[in-house]
Amino acid sequence: MSNQVALTGNEVMAQAMRQINPDVVAAYPITPQTAMVQLFSQFVADGKVDTEYVTVESEHSAMSATVGASAAGSRAMTATAANGLALMWEVLYIASGTRLPIVMPVVNRALSGPINIHCDHSDAMGARDSGWIQFFAENGQEAYDNAIQAVRISEHEDVRLPSIVNLDGFIISHAVENLEILADEDVEEFVGDYQADNYLLNSEDPIAVGPLDLQDFYFEHKMQQAVAASNVKDVVLEVAKEYEEISGREYGLFEEYKLDDAEVAVVALGSTTGTAKAAVDNLREQGVKAGLLKIRLYRPFPAEEIANALKDLDAVAILDRADTFSTTGGPVYIDTRAALYDSDADLEVVNYVYGLGGRDIKVEEIESVFEDLQQIAETGNVEQKINYLGVRE
Amino acid sequence: MVKPGDGYKDIPKGGLILEAGNAKNYKTGGWRTKKPILDKETCINCHRCWAFCPDSSVLSEDGDVKAEIDYDHCKGCGICAHECPVNAIEMEKE
Ligand code: SF4
Ligand code: SF4
């Protein structure tokens, strides 16, 4: 039994948190995430959840309290955005390194400066090597579905790693969408009870968490983390299959939209993939074999599968809503190019950095990318590998 | 101390220490450059060194401070020698 509802992205994520009913939530409000934790704290005040809500004075404390709660053996969540995520930085690594299965919605927003509160992926991309699993969503429905699945994925015994569930600031977080939420009891049953193997509040079996780990053992623990990351893909697919049974919605590592017979395609993540679908549809009507690869699981990066899905294209454009300022392109571009290096693919790969600080991306702009790709496919000539789309000269 | 079976496949995940109170297995004596020598002749058994030692390395039995220091864990910080009111402890170069 599911319910058809009209909710904003923030509201539906608060609903997901209510249905997950974590033992502890420690969160600090920050635009554009504020409505999510505000609504959730209302659920706490109204006794709709059993959660202990810890109000904190900063995101550094929010993540620290969440780490403590998770180490104590509880199912713990928090949520943040942009500079809040940046303030959590050192504790992010402690959460993943200590193998705590925390789930955290991140409402993507540009990192200042100059000061900006609108959508881009510079916050999440900065955390891409922090050892957190990262999901991206096209809309509120997917963000909701990802949040519920993330609990199971993070807590899986082969994984035990924290997850960031990304949703685009304002575009998803503040827009009202027609979506389906599952029945409370279905979510309750799906996420089940969390039982940590070893935890601080187990007085029968006392342990130490977070001790000094020097030259003789640290490397082994990082190796365990690398192994856990390599297990994520399989677990994501396994959990997706189970989730489909209760939701009717299908999920994979990424979505291939009209990619099967495509000659040119774009790779993107987040809400832009909805815009890109409209561009693909328009071009298909004009007889252009256009397609889209929408990344859902960004960390760990499903390199082999993505390379395989792209290998028969003539040209592909990677859309990045963040720059690395490395002069070698945006993060998704760098990952995708690296993935393609080892495949037998023979295609041109170009990069478009777009939408920084919430700059709108239009269907026509993505169509213009496809025009560039067709040109590249015809001539085999790439004028510029790294492009900035929608910026004034 | 690394021993056989301490590979990444076998050790507890995330740096957890599953055995309580096992800090004594970590032998910090190797950090020492100077070694405390306790002279029982001079010692008035006041137990200051015993109370101040940050590593519980001054040993006491039946109310008597022993001449033997726990050199497996004594880091050679010299606090005991500094605190001794009768200079019964001398720090000797290793
Ligand atoms: S030198 Fe330091 S560690 Fe060693 S016995 Fe004295 S106080 Fe303890
Ligand atoms: S502090 Fe000096 S006198 Fe007192 S017990 Fe220790 S060695 Fe003996």
Side-chain angles (χ1 to χ4, degrees), chain B residues 7-53:
Chain B
Y8 74 88
K9 292 180 179 165
D10 297 314
I11 60 172
K13 285 177 193 162
L16 300 191
I17 295 178
L18 303 183
E19 185 192 338
N22 74 347
K24 66 172 181 298
N25 298 343
Y26 193 18
K27 303 219 164 33
T28 48
W31 301 12
R32 200 171 49 235
T33 54
K34 280 185 173 175
K35 187 177 184 171
I37 310 285
L38 195 153
D39 174 18
K40 269 310 266 181
E41 297 283 300
T42 325
C43 170
I44 54 168
N45 202 33
C46 70
H47 278 74
R48 274 204 201 193
C49 54
W50 174 83
F52 275 96
C53 173

Side-chain angles (χ1 to χ4, degrees), chain B residues 29-90:
Chain B
W31 301 12
R32 200 171 49 235
T33 54
K34 280 185 173 175
K35 187 177 184 171
I37 310 285
L38 195 153
D39 174 18
K40 269 310 266 181
E41 297 283 300
T42 325
C43 170
I44 54 168
N45 202 33
C46 70
H47 278 74
R48 274 204 201 193
C49 54
W50 174 83
F52 275 96
C53 173
D55 289 294
S56 307
S57 293
V58 177
L59 307 172
S60 170
E61 214 174 78
D62 300 329
D64 266 327
V65 158
K66 287 171 48 173
E68 271 305 299
I69 304 270
D70 172 7
Y71 290 122
D72 277 346
H73 299 98
C74 161
K75 295 189 197 116
C77 67
I79 291 173
C80 52
H82 182 81
E83 293 299 331
C84 178
V86 294
N87 293 327
I89 299 178
E90 218 172 318

Side-chain angles (χ1 to χ4, degrees), chain A residues 97 157 207-208 211 220-221 224, chain B residues 6 8 11-15 17-18:
Chain A
E157 58 174 351
I207 59 159
E220 279 69 28
H221 290 125
Q224 293 177 330
Chain B
D6 277 346
Y8 74 88
I11 60 172
K13 285 177 193 162
I17 295 178
L18 303 183

Side-chain angles (χ1 to χ4, degrees), chain A residues 3 33 79-80 94 101 105 123 127 131 134 142 145 154 191-192 223 227-228 240 263 272 290 296 324 341 371 374 377:
Chain A
N3 276 316
Q33 155 267 39
T80 193
I94 293 168
D123 52 3
Q134 286 204 38
E142 289 187 1
D145 292 338
S154 277
V191 298
M223 183 65 201
V227 171
E263 289 167 357
T272 303
R296 174 185 180 229
T324 57
Y341 185 81
E371 272 164 38
Q374 283 175 277

Side-chain angles (χ1 to χ4, degrees), chain A residues 59-191:
Chain A
E59 285 84 359
H60 189 279
S61 306
M63 184 46 71
S64 299
T66 309
V67 160
S70 184
S74 69
R75 180 177 273 154
M77 291 183 78
T78 181
T80 193
N83 296 53
L85 182 64
L87 189 52
M88 290 179 175
W89 226 250
E90 59 167 330
V91 199
L92 290 180
Y93 286 75
I94 293 168
S96 58
T98 312
R99 311 292 300 280
L100 301 171
I102 296 162
V103 173
M104 170 169 68
V106 170
V107 186
N108 303 120
R109 158 187 147 181
L111 278 180
S112 303
I115 295 175
N116 183 290
I117 57 164
H118 288 280
C119 176
D120 73 29
H121 296 155
S122 52
D123 52 3
M125 288 304 163
R128 70 189 188 275
D129 298 336
S130 66
W132 283 60
I133 299 166
Q134 286 204 38
F135 298 97
F136 279 86
E138 180 183 333
N139 47 39
Q141 180 74 68
E142 289 187 1
Y144 167 85
D145 292 338
N146 285 344
I148 291 166
Q149 292 174 72
V151 174
R152 287 280 305 279
I153 295 159
S154 277
E155 291 174 5
H156 193 285
E157 58 174 351
D158 297 340
V159 176
R160 295 282 154 107
L161 290 171
S163 288
I164 288 175
V165 181
N166 291 295
L167 59 152
D168 281 352
F170 293 103
I171 304 165
I172 297 177
S173 68
H174 284 59
V176 176
E177 213 179 285
N178 181 5
L179 33 76
E180 264 182 30
I181 63 170
L182 298 170
D184 291 355
E185 55 277 15
D186 286 351
V187 177
E188 192 183 338
E189 197 186 324
F190 184 80
V191 298

